[in-house]
Structure formats: C-alpha cells, structure tokens
Amino acid sequence: MEEKMIKGKEKIVSNKSMRLILLEDAEVEANFAVEDKDLEVEIFHRGKNSKSDVVLKGLAKKRARLKGKLIVEEGAEGSKGNLAIKGLGDGGKIEVVPAIEVYEKNANVEHSASIQEIDKEILFYLQSRGIGKKEAKRIVVEGFLNYL
C-alpha cells in the first residue's frame, strides 16, 4: 500500500489503495474510485489541527470491496475527519467496511457508508429521452464515479 505524508493542503484523486498520514495543520481532500476491485484507504491524523475529507466509491459489476479506516492518534487534538464510502451495484456483490479509531478526546470525526443498485427509474427516464439502454447506464455510472 502506498504511503503519503501530508504536510500542507492537498487534493488527491486516485484508484489505488493508500495510507495517508496527516501532520500538524495538514489538510487533505481525497476521492478514490474503483470498478470491480478492492480498495483500502487508511487515514492517520497524527498532528494537531489536521483535517481530512475522504470519499471512497466503487462499482460492482462482479465484485468490489471498499475498506476505509480513519484513525486519530493521541495528541492530534483539534483534528477533524470525515470518511464516506459509497457503493453502486450493477449486478455484482459490493461490500463497504468503514472504521473509526479515536485516541484523542478533543477530535471531531464522522463516517458514512451506503450501497445502492443502479436506479431503474433513472435508466427509464434517460431511455424515454431517446438515449439507448447501454448509454444510459454508462451516464449513470460515470456520474456516480466522477462526481466529487
């Protein structure tokens, strides 16, 4: 797993598993998207007043597993973290695994996780506007994976 130290303010867009380590006053906004593969992202708040906003997205035509872990280490007071994991099923199996570990009492963290299938009503709506079924599905999937 790739490891990245965050010292200032960074924006990350990736499809690879990664370990992010936030130092004092560091800020990261990260978006990860995959199709039919496993993705694991760990976020370590190591420094004071660090901030993270991390989104993991996955599409499962066959199988996908999205695992995210947000850790606030002791001494990282004033840290704020948000972890969101979103799965979209297209006939396959999708698993989302969010986790939070907080060892600092003066920190604010939250997480969310959701799984849904491609909405058939949206596909019907697009098809009723003259878009073919395959193209309608492509539009929905791209919109899901690329929306930041």
Side-chain angles (χ1 to χ4, degrees):
M1 179 184 309
E2 180 183 343
E3 188 169 288
K4 187 165 182 72
M5 295 285 248
I6 311 291
K7 296 178 183 177
K9 194 172 187 175
E10 286 200 41
K11 240 183 175 179
I12 297 169
V13 176
S14 180
N15 63 355
K16 296 184 169 128
S17 293
M18 196 175 293
R19 178 175 294 122
L20 305 172
I21 300 171
L22 284 76
L23 303 177
E24 189 166 347
D25 297 320
E27 290 184 40
V28 67
E29 182 181 320
N31 292 282
F32 297 86
V34 295
E35 183 177 323
D36 281 330
K37 70 183 230 183
D38 293 348
L39 175 68
E40 183 174 354
V41 176
E42 296 177 339
I43 308 103
F44 288 85
H45 285 262
R46 192 161 283 166
K48 294 178 182 179
N49 302 311
S50 54
K51 295 179 180 139
S52 66
D53 187 10
V54 178
V55 178
L56 281 62
K57 293 182 183 180
L59 172 70
K61 290 181 179 177
K62 295 178 183 171
R63 182 193 153 297
R65 184 172 193 258
L66 310 172
K67 184 177 179 183
K69 185 187 260 188
L70 178 61
I71 301 160
V72 180
E73 296 179 358
E74 187 175 354
E77 62 186 48
S79 292
K80 295 179 182 176
N82 182 45
L83 171 64
I85 305 176
K86 302 175 182 185
L88 181 63
D90 185 9
K93 178 183 176 188
I94 190 148
E95 181 181 359
V96 297
V97 184
I100 291 179
E101 294 179 18
V102 181
Y103 302 100
E104 173 57 52
K105 63 181 176 185
N106 185 15
N108 183 4
V109 296
E110 54 189 48
H111 73 4
S112 63
S114 65
I115 297 174
Q116 66 186 55
E117 288 289 321
I118 292 177
D119 190 331
K120 293 186 185 341
E121 288 184 29
I122 292 173
L123 292 177
F124 177 78
Y125 174 82
L126 291 171
Q127 289 173 358
S128 72
R129 302 300 185 264
I131 298 171
K133 185 176 184 176
K134 206 173 195 176
E135 179 66 8
K137 190 179 273 193
R138 186 194 65 73
I139 289 169
V140 170
V141 167
E142 278 190 23
F144 172 78
L145 291 175
N146 295 325
Y147 177 76
L148 304 176

